[in-house]
Structure formats: structure tokens, C-alpha cells
Amino acid sequence: MKDTFLILKKEFQNIFKDRRTLFSVFVLPVVLFIVIFTVIGRMTSAEEQKLQTTQYKIFTDQPLLLDAVLEDAGFDFMFVDQPPDSFETALQNREIDGVVLFGELPSNDPSEAFSSFLEKDSPSISVYIYSGSSLSERLGSMLWNALRDDRDQHLRDQLAQAGMDQTILERPLVQTINVATEKEQASGILGGMLPYMLVIYLFSASFAIGFDTTAGEKERQTLTILLSNQVSRTSIAWGKILYIMSMNLISATVSVIAFSIGFSRMIPQSTNIFVAFSPQLVLFLFLCTLSMSVLVAAIIAVVGVFSKTMKEATSYSMPLYIVVLIFGIASLQPEAFQDATGLFFVPLINGIITLKKLFTTPGLPVLGISMTILINLTVSFLLVMLAARMFSDERFVFRTEN
Amino acid sequence: MIQFQEVQKVFGNRKKTVHALKGINFRVESGEIFGLLGPNGAGKTTALRILSTLLQPTSGEAHVGGFHTVRDSREVRKQIGFLSSDMNLSGNLSARDYITFFGRLNHIPEVSLKKRVESLLEYFDMKDYADRKVATYSTGMKQKTLISIALVHEPSIVVFDEPTNGLDVMTAKLVLDSLRELRQQGKTVVLSTHQMDVAQKMCDRLAIIDHGEVKAMGTLDEILSSSGSKDLEEAFFAVVKEDAQ
């Protein structure tokens, strides 16, 4: 055990003297996430401001009528006098933002324009927009709301004239009430993203650091010194695996915290996602991530000892990474893995599912978490034994390109 | 004492096999410098890797200090200090960090370890760069660090594979002087080389290996008289040529 910690300490001593690695593990994710989300947040609010303050260019065959409809619509607009040769081209070229066609009206009196329009046999309004432009798309939505409001007002007037109750239009009153607490809403956001993020960071940190300390040492011919000393192969295997595990845990934790801070900066008015972290949840989250981290480290160690070079090790691991990533991406779906009990028995994948359930199901999935930890740690232990045997086996230790 | 009995080593798979050692026998007595002399690919490094427990013989047995190299590999590693030509140092640690780390792995108490590290740095004239990253070292600096690592736990048997390869004259002399001093301290030294002058100057006894077989063994005088040669170089070529014919 003492030798294991000596090896772990030496690896840490080595990495902590490498400023570039420290920067990429601890500083870069924090800076990157905060910068990315701040920029996205700023761009989104700038776009929102632009949409609110812009003057929309509209062509219509009935400017007086549309002017009356949009009187209280709450956005600035101007009418284009000349009809474009082609609506499609003009919209695509962003010369105009929308086209509203009513057709001919029975009356030219602006005060009666809309009612006379509705008295036509089959009144219809064509609204042309171009969804490739956010301005045009936004205008389409605002036009639709304004025209619908005008139509509803007209119906109310007609009901009033007929002496009928105007509230008939609001029956039944449909309301959507979200019963989720602030904490549950925050959990929903995290349950979608956290498993995916953790999987990425557990692997990405391991690839660089894990393969460097196994296949990289073989490649650089530095492993022989360690193997020719009296330290046991099991201690070497555990030392390396603990090191990989610690680094991927640190990397994943730093990245998740940086992501959460960055995300909350992007949408400061949204739900406070930090309320999801109750002490119990943090404990289970840590245990589940720990079991995944040990397993990833053990897999990386076995692949690293087997491979001749870091390049070879990376190519061997890529299929597994892609499979795990697919499950991570699938977990972004809110309803994913609802009935996937069988997947609890699949090492590593079970961690993704448990993390999702941890955030998205009421109460704590204690059985699922226990199974995940037990299965992942058992498989990790077997892989560590395998790695230790491989460190003793000349077929793997001296399997180099040199 | 070191003993090789009918040690064979075969590398490869079903399609292609290489007989690196073809049943070699030799014995190294305590306190002597024993040299393995041979051309590249003769089997010297394989023999030393078996001795240091990094490889297992395909057949035959090797013993170091009474311990079996396969069954008692950790006991064997406790007794030896191993330096191989294919070892390298890299990364952000310094010579002092590395020597201290391997001293701790060999369970040297902290107080004596500090003194031991300082004396090795002093002996090999490494103090000026002892705290610099090894990645910035020259070949000679790295070799002196590797030798210090091999010697930090004061092993009773020192196994050095091509220790002067690629070194400048000054560093090579320092390394060879250190081997002589180890012998004076009563330690056993096994040394592989393809440099005749090194073998002639350093070794009490020699074995000439070629194509995985011991072609000649004994003191320098014994080898010269049995081959009828004037010097080791002539004896070596006589033995290797005979083998080629």
C-alpha cells in the first residue's frame, strides 16, 4: 500500500510541475466555460434587443388595414411601397421581413376594413416569412398574434352585438400549471446535461494522462526502471490507476463546476441550478462518479499497458468512448432510460443512467446507485488485477515499437 | 553469487521465433566484475533482463544470491541495481526527485536517504543540475542519474547493460571508476559491453556471447591463451569468426 501511494505521489509531483497540464486541467475549463457561456448570453440578449428595437419592413396589399391591425402590436414597422418582383427572393435577400396579403376588400373605409374583410365568402390572409432570418421569423410570430387578437376582438364585438356572453370564447379556460419545485426544475436541467458532461470529462482527462503514464512510459522507455525495482506489480498498477482516477475526478469536478457557473451566467434570470444539490444528492453523485472514475481509470490502464504507443492506445479506446458517448447523448433526452433496468448491469453505462435518475426521479434511487457502485467497483477490481498481471508479463511490458 | 543454468530464451509466435539464448551457463562469484562481451544482437541484454527478472527464461534456471529469478523475483530485485541501455528518463522531475523516489521505493529510512542522495549527487558531480527537470538533461547527465537510481539502495549486485554507450570520455571514465569502486566495496558487478577496451580494463572474468551461445569464458589470460590471441579484440574476432564459419 505504501508503495502504491509513493507511485501516486511521484505521478502527482510530476504533473504539478507541468504548468501546461495544470493550465489545461484546472484553468482552461473554467475560463472556457465562463467565456463561452458569457459570450452566448451576451449574443442572445443582444439579438433579443435587436429584435425588440428593429423596424420591420413589411409589404402588404392593404396597408391601411394592416396598419389598423398592428396599431397596438407593440413593435415598430414600416411598409414597403413598391411590390417586389418576387416575394421569395425579396425575403431571402432580406430586403423585406414579411409579406401580408389580404386580397381585395369590399370596403375601403379603414374603420370597417377588417369587418368587411371578414364578411368575404372565404376570408384568408397569407403571411410570407423567411425562416432563415430571425427577424422575419420573429415578425411572422408577431403578425400571427396581432391578426389572431384582431379576429378574436371582432368575434367578441359580434357576440356583444348579438347579446351573447363574450366569455364564451374563453370556455373552457385552459391553464398549464408546473408543479415542479425550483429544485426539481434545476434537477431537470442537470439530469439532462450532467451525465453527458461527466462521461466526456472522465474520458478526455484519462486519455491524455492515463495513456501517458502507461503506454507513454513504455514508448519513452521509462517504465523499465520502475519494473526493475522491488516494488510489486500490483502496487504499480494501483498507483497508476489511482493517479488516473484522481486526475479524471479532478478534471470532471472542475469542469462540471465551471459549466454550472458559466451556464448560470448565460441565463441569470433562469432557475438557480445550484438548489438541486442537496447534501444527500452530492454524496450519491460523488459515489456514483467515483465508481465510474475508477472503472474508466482501470480500462485506460489495461489498454495503456497493452498498447505499444499512446497513439495505439487512443485508437483502441475510441470505439468504447463512442459507445459511452452515444449513451451520454441519449441521456440528454428528458424521457431517456425510463424503463432501462437491464442497463444497470452494464458497467459504466449504468453510471450514466444512475446519474440521470439521481436528478430526474423523485427520491433517491438507492438500489440503482448501490448496484452501479457494486458492479463498477467489482469490474474495476478485476481490471486492476489484470493490469497488475500485464505489468508482470514481458509480452506486454516489452511490446514496444523500439 | 549469480548462476545461469541452461538458460534458453525464445521470442516470437507460431509464425516466427527467435532463439535469443540457446541454453547458456555461467557463474559469477561475489565481489568480481564479470563482463558479457558480444556483438549487437548476441543475447547480452536478454541475459541481463533475465537476471534482473524483467524476462523469464523459456527453459533453464537463473539464480541471484540464492534466489530464483522467477519464483523469488522481488527478493532478486532487492539485491540488484539494474541499468539497461534501453532505459530513459523524461518528465518534469529532477535527478534529486528521481533518486529520492526510488530510494523510498526501496524503503530506505528518510534520514539515511537524504544523505545517500547527497553523496550520489556529489560522487557523480551532479549537484549543479540536480534540481533541474530531467527532460533538459544531456545523455551523460541522464546516464549518471540512472546509475544513481540503480545504486541508491546500495545493492550487493550491480547489473549494467552497456553503461558507457553514447557517453563522452569524461563521463565514461567516471562511470567505469564507479564500477571499480563498487568492486572494492565487495559488490558483484555484471557488465555487458561491445567495447573491447572497456571489457579488457574492467573485467575480472569475461564471457564472449554470440548468437545466443557462450563461445568463450574465463579470465582475460585464459581467453587469450585458449584462442591463441595477443589481445581481447583478436580473441573476440577469432571466436566470432569461428562461429560464423
Side-chain angles (χ1 to χ4, degrees), chain A residues 14 17 221 229-230 394, chain B residues 9 56 74 77 92 97:
Chain A
N14 186 40
K17 285 189 176 184
Q221 300 180 316
N229 269 270
Q230 56 171 304
E394 61 193 52
Chain B
K9 183 66 190 175
Q56 293 186 4
R74 276 190 83 175
R77 288 200 296 271
N92 306 305
D97 294 331

Side-chain angles (χ1 to χ4, degrees), chain A residues 155-156 158-160 164-173:
Chain A
L155 285 171
R156 277 191 205 93
Q158 283 192 325
L159 287 170
M164 292 175 73
D165 182 8
Q166 294 175 34
T167 58
I168 195 168
L169 289 173
E170 274 98 39
R171 287 184 197 154
L173 183 65

